[in-house]
């Protein structure tokens, strides 16, 4: 019969294997992403393989869904029915699928709209705010917001008068609408839309769309990696001698003591990070895909 002491790890061991700092490992345990560690008689933490798997699963999922949703998924793996965990994973994949589909539509629409000849502008071809809003299926306030942000700036009937959208303005509004639906924020569009108006800069527009596509690919791959890590987590939780409560905490195992300078008991939220140069932010704000 193998010794159960071989599975015992210190905080620093989990940090080294997961790529997090010692303090981030403690933060993940505090937030429930890692299950509670066992304690030695002296109060030092003793970790097991399940904690490493939890940290690795969280790390991969955070790259695909952001840290908030990643924490929710990993916590579900610790104590909820399997159907709840699978539902959360399905929802994460569904969101990426929607982004990918909308990006494809945005690319097709932008290419088609950019190729449309606008010809000579005639007064009868221009539209007011309400007319264009109805044609796009947006609120008039949305068009006013785009005007204020410099995305689609129409002409005026007089200084301070009513807005009138020329065919070129309407084309820009259609492109902005499609790109906003695809997840583009207002700030990047301030650069993108002027490029779109200049035919010789269309390559930069397609490059920006390709970058968005690559971002979705990277997040989808991270979700795939996260799902594999979750499988390892579930297997480690079921394996005898690897659950937190099964770890040797006699005070002489591998988990005792902590690294020099470590304090027993819960760590404060402002404790220092590892000095090993790896300092990913375990609880950083996820990237925003909409304003």
């Amino acid at each position: 019969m193998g010794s159960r002491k071989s599975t015992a790890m210190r905080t620093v061991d989990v940090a080294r294997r997961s790529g997090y700092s010692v303090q981030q490992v403690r933060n993940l345990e505090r937030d429930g992403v890692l299950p509670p560690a066992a304690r030695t008689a002296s109060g030092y933490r003793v970790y097991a393989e399940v904690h490493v798997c939890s940290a690795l699963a969280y790390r991969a999922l955070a790259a695909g869904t952001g840290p908030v949703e990643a924490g929710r998924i990993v916590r579900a793996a610790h104590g909820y029915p399997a159907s709840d965990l699978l539902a959360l994973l399905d929802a994460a994949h569904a969101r990426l699928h929607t982004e990918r589909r909308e990006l494809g539509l945005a690319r097709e629409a932008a290419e088609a709209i950019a190729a449309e000849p606008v010809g000579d502008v005639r007064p009868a071809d221009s539209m007011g705010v309400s007319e264009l809003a109805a044609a796009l299926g947006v609120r008039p306030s949305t068009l006013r917001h785009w005007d204020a942000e410099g995305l689609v700036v129409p002409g005026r009937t007089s200084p301070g008068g009513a807005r009138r959208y020329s065919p070129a303005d309407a084309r820009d509004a259609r492109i902005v609408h499609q790109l906003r639906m695809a997840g583009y924020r207002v700030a990047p569009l301030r650069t993108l839309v002027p490029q779109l108006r200049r035919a010789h800069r269309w390559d930069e527009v397609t490059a920006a769309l390709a970058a968005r596509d690559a971002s979705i690919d990277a997040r989808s791959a991270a979700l795939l990696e996260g799902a594999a890590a979750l499988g390892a987590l579930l297997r480690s939780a079921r394996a005898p001698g690897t659950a937190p409560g099964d770890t040797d905490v006699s005070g002489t195992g591998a988990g005792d003591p902590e690294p020099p300078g470590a304090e027993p008991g819960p760590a404060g939220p402002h404790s220092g990070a590892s000095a090993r140069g790896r300092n990913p932010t375990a609880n950083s704000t996820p990237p925003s895909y909409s304003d």
Side-chain angles (χ1 to χ4, degrees), residues 140-180:
S141 60
T142 298
L143 291 176
R144 296 188 185 100
H145 176 62
W146 294 349
D147 184 0
E149 294 290 344
L151 300 181
V152 184
V153 182
R156 300 272 186 170
T157 56
S158 62
R163 296 173 174 86
R164 297 299 298 178
Y165 290 85
S166 70
D169 296 331
R171 183 190 67 173
D172 290 347
R174 290 168 62 190
I175 294 173
V176 168
H177 179 49
Q178 289 293 330
L179 294 176
R180 288 288 287 154

Side-chain angles (χ1 to χ4, degrees), residues 38-99:
R39 297 278 180 165
T40 67
S42 302
Y44 290 110
R45 291 174 173 85
V46 182
Y47 293 97
E49 191 67 24
V50 66
H51 296 99
V52 175
C53 292
S54 297
L56 291 174
Y58 173 80
R59 189 182 188 88
L61 291 168
T65 68
V68 175
E69 185 62 19
R72 186 177 296 117
I73 292 172
V74 178
R75 282 190 292 269
H78 293 322
Y80 290 85
S83 58
D84 290 354
L85 170 62
L86 296 175
L88 289 172
L89 279 174
D90 289 345
H93 282 288
R95 285 191 294 272
L96 279 177
H97 174 69
T98 298
E99 285 191 46

Side-chain angles (χ1 to χ4, degrees), residues 24-44:
Q24 286 169 335
V25 171
R26 292 173 179 149
N27 290 345
L28 291 174
E29 182 187 352
R30 176 200 65 197
D31 295 339
V33 175
L34 273 59
R39 297 278 180 165
T40 67
S42 302
Y44 290 110

Side-chain angles (χ1 to χ4, degrees), residues 219-267:
R219 288 157 56 207
S220 183
L223 273 182
L224 183 62
E225 182 181 346
L230 282 172
L233 166 60
L234 295 177
R235 288 191 297 273
S236 70
R238 290 193 298 265
T242 59
D246 292 338
T247 305
D248 187 325
V249 292
S250 62
T252 59
D256 185 30
E258 291 260 41
E263 295 293 333

